[in-house]
């Protein structure tokens, strides 16, 4: 399927600089651009590739003023990165969509399956489960008893949704993710033997949430573990029982959130962040990679670094001192020697 620069500009609300009839049928990274492909430029450190790329069309920000001739046709838009995302989404919607029930698969007679649903081979849909219109359940996915899958949601191969959990509309659950496994709840008896605390709650994933491969979100002891609308969770993330993650929050890979913690709205967590249990993180908190949060964060809008984490300015001042610790120690040792010699 080919598109001209003019067609793409009209889709994005941009304007063409160069040949409006230049055509593309694929996409490429700007540093690996090939003829007949579309690419984009948004990060200033890649500007030199704009002049050398072999891509036929480059999406750029409207305020970009090239310092050299650009042989590719440019499409100028308000935000190149957002426009590329919009264009890729439109392209994906144009692709043939899977529908129908493949065999062998199992769908309980008491389950409800909506219109234009795809169920792949070896998928399992349990008793009284509800799968809404246009949902896609890929091969070897497990949809437990009483699970609700919202409209347009995609469950990729091997994902497991345990009994009673609720998945909203337009969600994406990637391969190997587990939603609703038992929370890590055990209590020692007087002999020191750990007894299991039954986890009788559920996990609720609201609309427009994306959950990465092999991420685990445990069911609650009682009530619900909840991920609110618009949140995006990377691969290999652990969210424990009774956690609430606010809306439009982003959590990067290998992060872990302990039980009963509440994460605010519009938060950002870098990779390998650890968050202790039974605390609260305020809205719009940014937590740098490998940071550890041991207590509640009450003030919204902070950026936190370190383990235990504290505010960005305090961290940078402390890090300057930390880098000079060997020299400071040497100076202290010299002062102690001089003192002892007196």
């Amino acid at each position: 399927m080919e598109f001209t620069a003019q067609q793409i500009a009209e889709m994005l609300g941009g304007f063409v600089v160069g040949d409006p009839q230049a055509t593309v049928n694929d996409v490429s990274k700007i540093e690996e651009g090939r003829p007949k492909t579309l690419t984009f430029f948004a990060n200033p450190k890649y500007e030199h590739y704009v002049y050398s790329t072999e891509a036929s069309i480059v999406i750029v920000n409207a305020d970009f003023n090239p310092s050299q001739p650009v042989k590719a046709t440019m499409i100028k838009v308000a935000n190149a990165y957002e426009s590329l995302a919009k264009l890729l989404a439109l392209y994906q919607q144009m692709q043939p969509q899977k529908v129908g029930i493949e065999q062998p698969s199992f769908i309980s007679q008491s389950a409800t399956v909506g219109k234009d649903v795809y169920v792949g081979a070896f998928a399992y849909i349990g008793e009284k489960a509800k799968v809404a219109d246009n949902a896609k359940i890929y091969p070897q996915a497990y949809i437990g008893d009483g699970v609700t899958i919202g409209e347009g949601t995609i469950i990729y191969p091997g994902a497991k949704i345990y009994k009673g959990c609720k998945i909203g509309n337009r969600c994406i659950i990637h391969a190997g993710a587990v939603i609703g496994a038992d929370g890590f709840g055990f209590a020692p008896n007087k002999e020191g033997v750990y007894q299991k605390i039954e986890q009788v709650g559920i996990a609720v994933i609201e609309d427009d949430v994306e959950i990465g491969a092999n991420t685990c979100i445990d069911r609650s002891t009682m009530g619900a573990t909840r991920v609110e609308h618009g949140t995006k969770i990377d691969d290999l993330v652990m969210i424990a029982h009774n956690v609430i993650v606010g809306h439009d929050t982003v959590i990067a890979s290998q992060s872990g959130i302990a039980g009963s913690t509440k994460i605010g709205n519009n938060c950002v967590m870098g990779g390998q962040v650890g968050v202790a249990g039974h605390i609260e993180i305020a809205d719009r908190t940014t937590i740098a990679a490998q940071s550890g949060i041991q207590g509640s964060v009450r003030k919204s809008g902070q950026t936190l670094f370190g383990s235990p984490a504290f505010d960005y300015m305090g961290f940078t001042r402390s890090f300057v001192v930390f880098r000079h610790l060997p020299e400071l120690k040497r100076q202290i040792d010299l002062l102690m020697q001089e003192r002892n010699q007196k």
Side-chain angles (χ1 to χ4, degrees):
M1 187 179 298
E2 286 194 342
F3 295 92
T4 67
Q6 187 61 46
Q7 289 173 324
I8 295 169
E10 289 172 359
M11 291 179 192
L12 300 177
F15 61 94
V16 177
V17 178
D19 180 8
Q21 298 307 311
T23 59
V24 292
N25 57 23
D26 201 355
V27 295
S28 63
K29 295 191 292 185
I30 193 166
E31 64 268 32
E32 300 172 358
R34 306 182 309 278
K36 303 286 285 185
T37 64
L38 171 80
T39 190
F40 80 106
F41 162 63
N43 189 328
K45 74 177 184 179
Y46 290 101
E47 181 176 345
H48 60 286
Y49 289 117
V50 175
Y51 311 115
S52 62
T53 187
E54 294 297 320
S56 298
I57 299 175
V58 182
I59 299 174
V60 301
N61 290 328
D63 59 0
F64 172 61
N65 293 309
S67 59
Q68 303 175 35
V70 178
K71 59 183 179 181
T73 292
M74 293 187 292
I75 298 176
K76 290 197 168 187
V77 294
N79 186 305
Y81 194 76
E82 289 183 4
S83 292
L84 180 72
K86 178 181 178 181
L87 193 63
L88 292 177
L90 290 170
Y91 177 78
Q92 189 66 24
Q93 291 170 13
M94 294 176 184
Q95 301 306 302
Q97 301 296 313
K98 284 182 173 289
V99 294
I101 311 298
E102 295 180 352
Q103 295 300 333
S105 59
F106 175 81
I107 302 175
S108 170
Q109 291 184 352
S110 62
T112 302
V113 177
K115 296 182 296 184
D116 299 321
V117 166
Y118 167 67
V119 179
F122 301 102
Y124 179 98
I125 299 177
E127 294 180 5
K128 298 182 180 179
K130 296 179 180 179
V131 180
D133 297 349
N134 301 304
K136 292 175 175 53
I137 313 297
Y138 277 79
Q140 298 183 327
Y142 172 82
I143 309 300
D145 296 347
V147 166
T148 300
I149 305 294
E151 185 172 347
T153 284
I154 300 172
I155 311 294
Y156 277 112
K160 308 293 188 287
I161 317 296
Y162 282 35
K163 65 179 181 180
C165 294
K166 301 180 185 300
I167 312 297
N169 302 318
R170 300 175 301 280
C171 292
I172 300 174
I173 313 295
H174 285 281
V178 179
I179 312 299
D182 282 357
F184 193 62
F186 300 90
N189 62 20
K190 60 183 179 181
E191 287 82 26
V193 177
Y194 282 88
Q195 304 291 324
K196 183 177 179 64
I197 300 173
E198 294 299 331
Q199 308 291 291
V200 299
I202 61 173
V204 176
I205 310 300
E206 295 186 359
D207 296 347
D208 301 302
V209 170
E210 184 159 351
I211 296 172
N214 295 315
T215 282
C216 295
I217 301 176
D218 287 349
R219 70 177 52 246
S220 60
T221 307
M222 293 177 285
T225 302
R226 185 177 297 274
V227 178
E228 296 183 357
H229 66 268
T231 284
K232 314 301 179 187
I233 300 174
D234 200 357
D235 303 342
L236 297 167
V237 171
M238 171 63 208
I239 296 178
H241 57 188
N242 294 93
V243 167
I244 296 175
V245 180
H247 68 74
D248 298 296
T249 282
V250 178
I251 302 175
S253 180
Q254 300 181 33
S255 294
I257 303 172
S260 299
T261 282
K262 296 181 180 180
I263 307 297
N265 305 322
N266 301 106
C267 293
V268 176
M269 291 188 188
Q272 298 184 331
V273 166
V275 182
H278 301 272
I279 65 173
E280 296 185 12
I281 307 298
D283 295 348
R284 301 188 307 283
T285 297
T286 297
I287 305 172
Q290 296 188 322
S291 295
I293 309 298
Q294 298 180 3
S296 291
V297 178
R298 306 293 186 187
K299 181 181 177 183
S300 63
Q302 293 189 84
T303 298
L304 307 178
F305 284 70
S307 184
F310 53 106
D311 69 278
Y312 171 75
M313 292 304 297
F315 178 87
T316 53
R317 287 193 296 266
S318 299
F319 188 73
V320 169
V321 174
F322 173 78
R323 292 181 62 184
H324 291 89
L325 281 179
E327 176 60 23
L328 291 172
K329 182 179 184 303
R330 189 186 69 81
Q331 293 178 18
I332 291 171
D333 289 345
L334 288 174
L335 290 171
M336 292 299 294
Q337 289 177 11
E338 292 176 3
R339 176 184 175 187
N340 292 336
Q341 289 171 2
K342 291 181 180 179

